Amino acid sequence: MILAVSGGFRTTVGGLRVSIRSPLPLEIAAIGALAIWYILARRAKSISSDLESTWRALNRHSKFVAAAALSVGFLAGVFATRSAAGADASGYISESEMLMSGRMFHADDLADLARGHDPYLTSPLGWRPAGEGRQSPTYPPGLPLLMAIPHAIAGVTGAAAVVITSAGIAVLAIGLLAFRLGGSIAAIIAATFIAFTPVFIHQSIQPMSDVPVTAAWMLCFVLLAGRGASLDTLAGIACAIAVLIRPNLAPLAIVPLFLAERRIAFAIPVAVAGALLAGMQWVWYGSPIRSGYGPADQLFALSNIVPNASRYARWLIGTAPVLVLAIFGVVRLRGNRFALGLLAFAILVIVSYLVYAVFDEWSYLRFLLPAMAILAVFAAIELSVWIDRWPVAVRPLLLFAVVVGVTAHALWVARSMDTFKLASQLRRVSVIADFINEDVPPAAVIVAGEQSGSMRYYTDRPILRWEAASPPALDGAMTELEKSRRPVYIVLDAWEDGPFRAKFAALGAGALDWPPILDAGTSHRTRLWKLSDRARFQRGENLSTIRLP
């Protein structure tokens, strides 16, 4: 089914390319196995007894949850972008690289150009000016710290492995949490619900923080559900990791604190993480309570509640409607103290992002993943009760229908959102970077916007960020660099061409009226121009463009 809906895959294992495009052979094998069972069971008059035995086996063991975890891990591993393209991925990975080297700041080679002009002129996305010729990271340190060693060992692939592993941990933890509250069937359903939620799939294949923070919070709660004194300390460590990854949710640690039996044991790791975070923010931003995203009054506003509520509700119902069943699960477990704690946590997560900045892209539903994980638990418990009302021989068939239906719908939505094409779409960025590393002088400076962070990470060239620059500032900087024999190159995603031309229409280079050196990509394209080529083109020289997929 994964092959049919996702369109198949190609990957490399140990240098060997593996390609599976058609689900037909597997479908034939599955149908054949089912037919053999049916013939043998009918001959032995054991169809009902076989189904009842299957149901008893499912009820006795929660280990079937591991199948969902393995499935999402396989899916994430096969379709992982393994790319530092874009602001978030490049920001986390480059920060990881910096921290692993023992540094707290990135040296800004072009700091003098920004003096008296736009402070962010030389800071790529994911970074901000910190004074004294330095730049500090925008993103919290939790995920970069987790990525540090894997990235040092295997580069972007190692960093991506952290998110892939987190996806498996999140699914396991959610399944075990549902098992604690509702039994094995609820565990299987909950694991399936979250593993095959479109936004969970979308984020599990990118080196971003949403899946890791969800894994950390769910691991915290499942450890608390274990009711062991030593588990409270481990739960505190998981909560501490969640706080470091997503500090804006740090106040929500009050919920697991109240659920813990040994609250001091739980609180110590969280307090240590809070102190570490405050210290790093003080060094980076000048205050222990200031984040890299800017002042709180620019990020949070009550006026955001209505537009965010309509967007999140539309995206949730459109991509994961089965989670609406959580309402009934909440009513069913209203007398359970631990379940009420989970509900309180989910509500606080949702409220935290209702007042947050408004976005128009469906993938920002990712902010609510920790809450959606809890909703999956409640929905699964309610559905397991409904299934249990049917005759025993029918229950395995109903469970199978639920699992297949939810999985197929999620994969279909993910495919319609181009989730399984992300890796091929983002490959263009590394193609551009490889060309720069091979054919562009080390002294070159790159003008970029959306890919400013990825260009610096991949090429180690300094950046001028066009969308943060005024026309006079960018013009003056490029002129000064050309005079000092530092060639200037421009890297733009295709959608940036129009805004770039509109903003810098008064500048000669703003017209982008000469051929780019390189045009890379498939459905999404990124182009590379050399500034000095414009004069050559105007003199009548014939310039060609290399086009790569």
Side-chain angles (χ1 to χ4, degrees):
M1 180 174 59
I2 292 176
L3 293 176
V5 182
S6 68
F9 67 88
R10 286 184 299 178
T11 190
T12 302
V13 180
L16 178 66
R17 173 166 289 186
V18 178
S19 177
I20 302 178
R21 289 299 183 186
S22 173
L24 188 58
L26 295 179
E27 289 176 349
I28 292 174
I31 293 172
L34 183 62
I36 291 172
W37 165 78
Y38 179 78
I39 292 170
L40 294 176
R42 185 178 181 183
R43 185 176 299 168
K45 299 181 179 180
S46 63
I47 293 177
S48 294
S49 61
D50 284 356
L51 291 172
E52 290 172 3
S53 298
T54 300
W55 185 253
R56 286 193 294 270
L58 290 170
N59 256 313
R60 282 197 303 268
H61 304 291
S62 60
K63 63 184 179 183
F64 293 100
V65 170
L70 289 173
S71 296
V72 77
F74 172 79
L75 198 65
V78 168
F79 293 100
T81 63
R82 295 178 177 86
S83 172
D88 290 340
S90 65
Y92 287 120
I93 294 175
S94 58
E95 182 179 345
S96 172
E97 184 178 51
M98 181 193 71
L99 293 174
M100 189 63 188
S101 70
R103 295 176 290 118
M104 289 293 288
F105 295 94
H106 183 91
D108 185 0
D109 296 338
L110 303 180
D112 290 342
L113 291 176
R115 289 195 177 97
H117 295 289
D118 311 276
Y120 282 84
L121 174 63
T122 59
S123 298
L125 288 174
W127 295 82
R128 52 182 292 144
E132 301 178 6
R134 304 177 303 176
Q135 294 171 0
S136 57
T138 298
Y139 298 103
L143 182 58
L145 287 171
L146 291 176
M147 288 178 166
I149 293 176
H151 177 268
I153 295 172
V156 175
T157 299
V162 173
V163 180
I164 295 169
T165 303
S166 296
I169 292 172
V171 172
L172 277 174
I174 292 161
L176 292 175
L177 198 55
F179 174 74
R180 297 283 185 183
L181 293 172
S184 294
I185 304 303
I188 295 169
I189 297 173
T192 302
F193 279 1
I194 196 64
F196 293 100
T197 295
V199 73
F200 186 88
I201 298 171
H202 193 80
Q203 296 308 122
S204 67
I205 66 175
Q206 302 180 74
M208 294 168 64
S209 66
D210 307 278
V211 170
V213 78
T214 301
W217 280 116
M218 295 306 104
L219 188 59
C220 169
F221 283 116
V222 79
L223 288 169
L224 289 176
R227 294 296 179 185
S230 61
L231 294 181
D232 286 345
T233 301
L234 295 176
I237 293 172
C239 183
I241 293 172
V243 167
L244 288 171
I245 295 174
R246 194 68 65 79
N248 66 303
L249 297 182
L252 275 61
I254 194 71
V255 175
L257 176 65
F258 275 113
L259 295 176
E261 290 183 355
R262 298 179 60 197
R263 291 175 181 169
I264 294 178
F266 175 87
I268 289 175
V270 180
V272 171
L276 175 62
L277 179 66
M280 297 180 81
Q281 291 184 158
W282 200 338
V283 171
W284 283 338
Y285 317 124
S287 169
I289 59 173
R290 184 178 300 162
S291 78
Y293 296 107
D297 59 354
Q298 295 180 8
L299 298 172
F300 299 92
L302 293 177
S303 60
N304 294 337
I305 293 178
V306 173
N308 272 333
S310 64
R311 284 166 172 78
Y312 289 139
R314 184 173 70 252
W315 295 335
L316 180 66
I317 294 172
T319 63
V322 72
L323 296 186
V324 175
L325 292 176
I327 297 172
F328 302 101
V330 167
V331 174
R332 185 172 300 279
L333 296 177
R334 62 187 180 275
N336 186 303
R337 177 177 174 271
F338 193 86
L340 292 177
L342 294 178
L343 175 63
F345 174 81
I347 291 173
L348 289 173
V349 170
I350 294 170
V351 170
S352 298
Y353 285 107
L354 285 179
V355 296
Y356 194 58
V358 179
F359 299 93
D360 292 321
E361 171 65 33
W362 80 277
S363 63
Y364 283 95
L365 185 61
R366 60 192 172 87
F367 289 154
L368 303 189
L369 270 176
M372 292 171 67
I374 300 300
L375 296 182
V377 171
F378 284 117
I381 291 172
E382 182 63 23
L383 195 54
S384 70
V385 172
W386 291 359
I387 291 175
D388 215 34
R389 293 172 179 168
W390 289 79
V392 176
V394 177
R395 294 174 194 171
L397 302 177
L398 291 175
L399 179 62
F400 179 77
V402 167
V403 169
V404 170
V406 168
T407 303
H409 175 264
L411 292 173
W412 176 79
V413 171
R415 187 182 187 186
S416 69
M417 300 294 187
D418 283 347
T419 295
F420 303 116
K421 295 180 180 178
L422 275 177
S424 62
Q425 290 171 355
L426 296 178
R427 193 173 297 115
R428 70 190 192 277
V429 177
S430 59
V431 169
I432 293 281
D434 289 343
F435 181 89
I436 291 173
N437 287 328
E438 292 176 6
D439 296 294
V440 171
V445 175
I446 299 174
V447 177
E450 178 66 19
Q451 303 304 337
S452 54
S454 56
M455 285 299 106
R456 190 172 77 178
Y457 168 76
Y458 280 122
T459 72
D460 202 29
R461 267 69 167 186
I463 296 294
L464 293 177
R465 204 166 110 208
W466 72 264
E467 84 280 12
S470 64
L474 185 62
D475 185 44
M478 292 193 299
T479 301
E480 182 67 27
L481 289 166
E482 292 275 290
K483 286 181 180 178
S484 61
R485 298 183 181 277
R486 298 196 68 175
V488 176
Y489 290 76
I490 301 172
V491 175
L492 298 175
D493 283 347
W495 67 267
E496 294 180 282
D497 292 2
F500 185 89
R501 288 187 172 99
K503 184 172 184 178
F504 301 107
L507 307 182
L512 298 176
D513 54 0
W514 72 102
I517 300 173
L518 179 62
D519 186 346
T522 52
S523 59
H524 295 63
R525 307 198 69 81
T526 301
R527 300 181 179 94
L528 170 69
W529 289 264
K530 184 178 182 181
L531 184 61
S532 61
D533 278 351
R534 184 171 188 264
R536 295 173 55 203
F537 183 70
Q538 290 178 332
R539 289 195 300 266
E541 292 189 35
N542 185 24
L543 302 179
S544 60
T545 298
I546 301 171
R547 288 181 169 81
L548 297 173

